[in-house]
Amino acid sequence: KAGGAYVPIDPEYPADRIRFMLEDSGAKLVLTQAHLAEQASLSFDGQVLVLDREDIYHEDSSNLEPLAGPHHVAYVIYTSGSTGKPKGVMVEHHSVLNRILWMHNRYGLSAEDTILQKTAFTFDVSVWELFWWSMVGSKVSLLSVGGEKNPEDIVDTIARDGVTTMHFVPAMLRAFLEYVEQQPREVMQAKLGTLRHVFASGEALPPQHVARFQRLVSSLAGAKLVNLYGPTEATVDVSYFDCEPDEEYAVIPIGKPIQNIRLYIVKEGTEQLQPIGVAGELCIGGVGVARGYLNRPELTAEKFVKDPFAGGEAGYERMYRTGDLARWMPDGNIEYLGRIDHQVKIRGYRIELGEVETQLLQVESVREAVVMARTDETGQKQMVAYYVAEQELGASELRSELGRELPSYMVPSYFVQLEQMPLSPNGKIDRKALPAPEGSLQTGADYAEPRTAQERALVAVWQSVLGLQTVGILDNFFDLGGDSIKAIQIASRAFQAGYKLDMKDLFQYPTVAALAPHMHEVRRMADQEEVSGETTLLPIQHWFFAQERERPQHFNQAVMLYRAEGFDETAIR
């Protein structure tokens, strides 16, 4: 109402990044809480308003006249920048309203609906989570801090608050579905029964995730899965694809444009439209296109260009060049094919690899650095840093150095030290010749073998999840390429192996030796010994034999079990 825009800042960002965002945005006012007030004042010379102080609520409380119009900036969200500094994207009110109204027109909420607000507010998906419900008298459920990384918390919150609408980044959707699959079906049916719409965006949605969702969630609650696509520069999402419950997909398209959005696929570096089936750069026109980058006129002019196809439509004649490779499919949907440049999306966060490389080169003794995104055996992208240094540098040291300048999601999962970079015939670094990270990791820890049953179980789980042949009990989980998504998988597979593990303990005790004492043994069916001889009948067996059926063998039931690694026959018996 006052005419200002909001700039979300994660208090866990490094101090220099917070200071840069406040200075670059020209912020005049910082809203914060008491436990963060000192941190805010260190980064900011202007006015700091501590929202949980009661004395600030005794001033004039009369209702403001709205000053902001449709073309005022609603928010500035900072994304990764290739120069080593983040860049602020300015999004106007009319663009936000168009995005939310499209969503409401297609997947409408009622007063009985509840949205789960689970996305960090520095990520643009939070925009519709934060504002859609309030426009139509629905409800919002605020997930506990850190709960977005814990599938059990998510399931319990859906059940407690009757959540009907929510969002996942595909990597987290996978972890959520793994958890659901391990629980009794009737329990999940009761807990997830209110879900109506689940939206996925932030990175490519694999077809196996969709098939799993249909089997585990759609069949329980009738919930629909919707794949969304869009960059921050075009207001959250610009296209959608409804995944039909009974369909089998070889690829999941990013779909068709939402209302008042135009999508073009052009030959790279030109304005020539590509025919159906031919790959090109995806460009966006229409209401959703942002105003541009704050204080970056050259970059704005490069990425936000005149729309040659707009036909003079007043106010919406600019087009955003995404740098994404895509093609039209014969059915009118668009298939996403990857990035043209070295920008990547990992766990929903868009990262300029150049920014990470720039910070890595600031580390003393690092002479050369290349950062790449590699796809692991599960289809997930992982950031790998390759570097040449004057001395041996371990992952812990580098991770600590980068953590002073970069948010945690921009710190690579793997660090590989090389004697020299491989070069192509023209003298450039040959990225294709860089080795896979396994076997080249610089953990800095001497190998120590497991000593107890718990340590042996944990080592086996780590090797399985991290894709490593050898793990020592002194190796740091995060130095081996661990992250929050893999931490969920560790907890899940440890449970399958008969041990209960709290994820917070893994973050606090990141080595096998330190973590093993904090695991609790759980009794699993597979741990029981073979039963022989006569046993007491269960109630349902009593009922069965009381029926005095002439041929009871007709009620025998067969079940087929499959496990890629094979079975221990004793456990099965």
Side-chain angles (χ1 to χ4, degrees):
K1 282 191 168 183
Y6 80 85
V7 181
I9 296 179
D10 188 335
E12 293 187 5
Y13 280 172
D16 284 350
R17 195 177 187 88
I18 293 175
R19 195 174 295 113
F20 170 81
M21 291 167 68
L22 290 169
E23 289 173 2
D24 186 65
S25 66
K28 294 184 170 59
L29 175 67
V30 166
L31 307 180
T32 188
Q33 293 168 284
H35 68 285
L36 298 169
E38 185 178 349
Q39 181 184 352
S41 59
L42 287 174
S43 304
F44 185 61
D45 296 331
Q47 186 180 358
V48 176
L49 197 62
V50 181
L51 292 173
D52 45 0
R53 277 179 47 186
E54 290 186 13
D55 59 336
I56 69 168
Y57 296 96
H58 298 315
E59 305 296 329
D60 180 6
S61 61
S62 57
N63 202 3
L64 290 176
E65 287 297 320
L67 294 179
H71 292 279
H72 283 89
V73 174
Y75 60 79
V76 178
I77 282 183
Y78 278 80
T79 66
S80 177
S82 57
T83 61
K85 293 291 184 185
K87 53 188 186 289
V89 181
M90 299 179 284
V91 176
E92 297 176 351
H93 284 277
H94 68 105
S95 302
V96 181
L97 283 171
N98 179 74
R99 169 62 183 74
I100 295 176
L101 288 172
W102 162 78
M103 202 171 196
H104 187 64
N105 290 340
R106 185 163 185 88
Y107 308 104
L109 296 178
S110 69
E112 285 70 46
D113 281 301
T114 301
I115 290 178
L116 181 60
Q117 203 287 312
K118 66 177 280 292
T119 306
F121 80 149
T122 51
F123 188 25
D124 62 359
V125 167
S126 66
V127 172
W128 64 259
E129 290 180 344
L130 286 166
F131 299 115
W132 180 16
W133 63 274
S134 64
M135 297 173 69
V136 291
S138 301
K139 298 177 288 298
V140 64
S141 167
L142 300 173
L143 194 62
S144 60
V145 176
E148 73 279 0
K149 297 171 184 167
N150 189 331
E152 189 175 0
D153 275 5
I154 294 171
V155 167
D156 289 345
T157 305
I158 293 169
R160 185 191 69 218
D161 295 341
V163 170
T164 60
T165 308
M166 64 181 298
H167 172 272
F168 280 108
V169 172
M172 190 59 214
L173 176 62
R174 175 174 176 263
F176 172 79
L177 293 173
E178 275 190 357
Y179 173 79
V180 171
E181 196 165 32
Q182 290 174 17
Q183 310 309 309
R185 185 175 174 83
E186 60 275 13
V187 172
M188 289 298 98
Q189 191 158 20
K191 290 195 170 189
L192 303 179
T194 56
L195 276 181
R196 289 174 53 226
H197 290 112
V198 175
F199 298 94
S201 70
E203 58 193 13
L205 178 63
Q208 58 266 35
H209 289 14
V210 176
R212 211 172 187 183
F213 179 91
Q214 291 166 342
R215 178 168 55 83
L216 295 172
V217 182
S218 293
S219 62
L220 291 178
K224 289 188 176 177
L225 182 62
V226 181
N227 190 31
L228 301 175
Y229 161 86
T232 303
E233 288 86 346
T235 317
V236 193
D237 299 302
V238 294
S239 70
Y240 70 98
F241 180 78
D242 295 330
C243 301
E244 296 300 332
D246 301 324
E247 286 284 329
E248 288 186 15
Y249 297 100
V251 65
I252 307 300
I254 58 173
K256 299 175 181 177
I258 71 170
Q259 66 187 20
N260 300 317
I261 292 290
R262 299 184 300 275
L263 299 180
Y264 316 113
I265 294 174
V266 302
K267 188 174 181 179
E268 192 179 343
T270 73
E271 294 177 351
Q272 175 187 324
L273 291 172
Q274 297 287 61
I276 291 170
V278 178
E281 183 179 12
L282 179 58
C283 297
I284 302 167
V287 180
V289 177
R291 184 187 291 184
Y293 298 114
L294 185 62
N295 302 326
R296 303 286 291 278
E298 298 86 2
L299 188 60
T300 298
E302 177 190 335
K303 301 294 284 185
F304 295 85
V305 300
K306 187 177 187 303
D307 186 344
F309 316 109
E313 187 181 340
Y316 309 121
E317 287 140 354
R318 289 179 318 125
M319 176 176 83
Y320 174 67
R321 306 192 76 112
T322 66
D324 284 335
L325 202 61
R327 65 182 175 190
W328 286 107
M329 298 167 71
D331 62 1
N333 287 301
I334 292 174
E335 180 185 358
Y336 172 81
L337 299 171
R339 289 294 302 172
I340 292 171
D341 54 20
H342 294 309
Q343 188 186 84
V344 297
K345 272 197 173 180
I346 294 179
R347 296 191 296 281
Y349 291 102
R350 194 174 69 183
I351 298 167
E352 292 275 7
L353 297 178
E355 179 175 2
V356 186
E357 289 173 0
T358 299
Q359 295 299 343
L360 194 53
L361 288 167
Q362 303 300 315
V363 178
E364 192 176 349
S365 90
V366 172
R367 296 204 316 269
E368 291 181 273
V370 171
V371 179
M372 286 181 62
R374 284 183 174 271
T375 304
D376 65 18
E377 68 281 355
T378 68
Q380 304 299 322
K381 281 200 178 87
Q382 307 289 346
M383 227 186 332
V384 185
Y386 299 91
Y387 59 99
V388 176
E390 295 168 2
Q391 63 189 57
E392 192 167 310
L393 289 173
S396 293
E397 188 177 345
L398 289 171
R399 185 170 282 108
S400 174
E401 289 286 337
L402 291 181
R404 291 175 186 159
E405 300 293 334
L406 299 173
S408 59
Y409 68 84
M410 289 181 67
V411 176
S413 297
Y414 300 103
F415 292 87
V416 180
Q417 185 164 355
L418 303 172
E419 288 187 13
Q420 60 184 40
M421 291 288 178
L423 300 178
S424 61
N426 63 7
K428 293 183 179 180
I429 292 175
D430 186 354
R431 290 172 176 261
K432 292 179 181 175
L434 290 166
E438 291 81 358
S440 309
L441 300 174
Q442 309 299 311
T443 66
D446 293 330
Y447 175 76
E449 63 181 29
R451 302 156 298 186
T452 65
Q454 286 97 325
E455 289 181 351
R456 283 190 288 276
L458 205 47
V459 162
V461 168
W462 283 27
Q463 288 174 178
S464 168
V465 171
L466 297 170
L468 298 173
Q469 291 184 342
T470 306
V471 171
I473 62 170
L474 301 180
D475 287 329
N476 186 296
F477 173 70
F478 300 100
D479 292 349
L480 295 172
D483 54 41
S484 56
I485 298 293
K486 288 182 177 176
I488 295 165
Q489 294 173 310
I490 292 286
S492 168
R493 295 192 190 182
F495 187 72
Q496 291 174 354
Y499 294 97
K500 180 81 166 63
L501 177 63
D502 287 332
M503 255 181 43
K504 63 179 176 57
D505 288 336
L506 180 52
F507 285 86
Q508 192 171 350
Y509 310 105
T511 68
V512 169
L515 181 61
H518 297 275
M519 298 198 309
H520 306 291
E521 198 167 348
V522 288
R523 191 70 173 161
R524 305 283 286 167
M525 290 298 288
D527 297 332
Q528 295 178 6
E529 296 175 358
E530 183 176 348
V531 176
S532 59
E534 292 187 3
T535 64
T536 308
L537 292 182
L538 298 171
I540 195 162
Q541 292 172 323
H542 273 296
W543 170 85
F544 178 80
F545 289 113
Q547 305 304 304
E548 298 181 352
R549 299 188 184 275
E550 192 175 331
R551 303 180 67 188
Q553 68 273 22
H554 284 191
F555 287 81
N556 288 348
Q557 186 174 19
V559 114
M560 188 174 85
L561 303 174
Y562 169 77
R563 184 168 180 262
E565 298 86 354
F567 286 103
D568 172 3
E569 187 181 340
T570 309
I572 287 290
R573 286 184 178 277

